[in-house]
Amino acid sequence: MHNRGLKRKAINIAAVCTAIFTITAFTGCDIPQQGSALPGNTQGASALPSQSIGQPAQVEIPSEVKSGTVEGSSDCVITLSDEGCTVQGTGASVWGKTVTVLNAGTYLVQGAVTDGQLAVDSADAEKVKLIFNGVFISCSDSAAVYIKNADKTVIELASGSVNVLSDGQVYSLDDGEDEPGACVFSKDDLKIKGTGELYVQGNYAKGIFSKDDLEIEDAVIYVTAADDGIRGKDSVEINGGKIVVNAGGDGIRTSNDVDEGKGNIIITDSEIAITSELDGIQSVSDLTVQSGSITVCSGGGSANSSSNNSSWGQWGDRGGGRPGANPPGDFGGMQPDSSADTETSSAKGIKAEGTLTVNGGSFVLDTSDDALHSNTVVINGGEYVIASGDDGMHADGSLTVNGGSIAISKSYEGLEAENLCIAGGTVSIVSGDDGINAAGGADASGINRPGRGGFAGGGEQGSGSISISGGSITVNAEGDGLDSNGSITMTGGYCIVYGPTNSGNGALDYSGNFNISGGTLVALGARGMAQGISGGSQQAGLGVNINGAADKALKITDEAGNVIIEVVSPKQYQSAVISSPDIISGQSYTFWMDGEKLGSVTA
């Protein structure tokens, strides 16, 4: 909803009465266009999302490691043991329970060591490959794997192997030092690949952290972490495999927001499940999902919404290598971290500071904060099941939906952006406030909710826009159905709005114009703030005041008795705005409620 001081457009009245109902026509248009109408028997309740969100990701650490099959040869074999680590070949040295790789080459690592460490400290230009084949390393006061120096390190998980790494809750660091800060810590490029399994327990802070580029390919990785689960400072690229993360901070993220071209995340054909106290996946630059399956439960999920939690928005960033102040899943009594970067202290599902682009994949997102959030969001495909304690999809700038199937079963606002464009796909929204909102982030209803912010454009009158050119949209909103602080334009597609029952909101709410030249619109809602389509539109429409009952079929027929629209609203309404290519200016249309004739109006 936006400023209620904005003047509503005047409506033209022509009353047609029956014994029980009153139909009052308002706003009509001039130039009819022919085309297909909304399919008949469109049921309101069944058109809304019904999918289950599912359970948060869990990580169970195996009781023992397992060897697998190693392909290819190695330059050196490292055997870890509490009785004494050994090295067969050249390129590595042993000091107590610490084994250090000093030169380029391929190293086969096997065995188990308690309170030990595997380190890499080779020349800058050298590449190191570590093949894990049944490895167990626990280190009580530092990283289990510490890559101090190498051009690039590759950790390959032997086929069928099970490997476990863990660190302690307290590190022994030199004065002024904050490294290492993760169970697997690399100061240079790191790649993890192979078809084995890797379990990482980041008890101190992060699970896996590369201060350069981090790449994961076809690996099965399970991470628990007090802070971020998986972090690549310069980039994270995930291509194939399975990743399960339970994190007290962010699930997967980047952090280089200074260097141009850095900080991106790319995900392709991967199965990812994340339970995080903060953001599920966060990129400080662009984030692209090509394909795969992503499940996120962030910030305690939608049950921990702004409406239910007085401390909502006070998560506190755990960046910079600081251990988590609260264990994963502990959301009670959270206080903001005064040393944190407040711009990143959020509990969103998938977040990008630049452009968030999704080309495909399946998503199950149960989030306390926005499910998808960025400055620019582009949805080209994918299937989405979303329950959000705040917005389903939010963009500070523009949000574009070109395809996909979006089912938002719970939200404060469903789709929210400065400028919204829906060109294709299927969108189904249930919202506690506005269903689709252009530039309403600073509305009065959000002022008292912690963590809420406005748009770059300030949400001022005339600054936002909604454009619908294709797709199928169903909105069930307690606030405004379609709300724009500027204009609404519709040139195609199907849009059904089950708007508010209270007169302080409307199925349609705009401060500029609503011009329609194509597509089918059905907007049902309260009467008090009702708006129709603008008079200069090219497609004809009907606007009536009507006592519409919940779960009763509303049918509209033309002069020949053909059904133009048939719809069942899940709640009562007093206003109906209809526009369709099959509605012709100057012709009469009859309204029926549950088989009973109410009356007729002229388009």
Side-chain angles (χ1 to χ4, degrees), residues 145-167:
V145 176
Y146 186 6
I147 302 169
K148 302 176 181 179
N149 196 32
D151 176 61
K152 183 176 185 179
T153 299
V154 177
I155 297 176
E156 181 175 318
L157 309 175
S159 177
S161 68
V162 176
N163 308 274
V164 178
L165 308 172
S166 66
D167 61 2

Side-chain angles (χ1 to χ4, degrees), residues 246-257:
N246 195 313
D250 297 325
I252 300 172
R253 72 164 294 176
T254 56
S255 56
N256 188 346
D257 57 358

Side-chain angles (χ1 to χ4, degrees), residues 2 416-420 437-442 455 458-460 463-465 483-485:
H2 59 259
E416 182 177 63
E418 182 80 5
N419 298 292
L420 282 141
N437 182 21
F455 287 90
E460 298 178 355
S463 63
S465 67
D483 181 1
S484 174
N485 278 10

Side-chain angles (χ1 to χ4, degrees), residues 477-499:
E478 293 183 25
D480 298 323
L482 305 183
D483 181 1
S484 174
N485 278 10
S487 63
I488 302 177
T489 302
M490 187 170 183
T491 59
Y494 302 99
C495 182
I496 305 176
V497 178
Y498 304 118

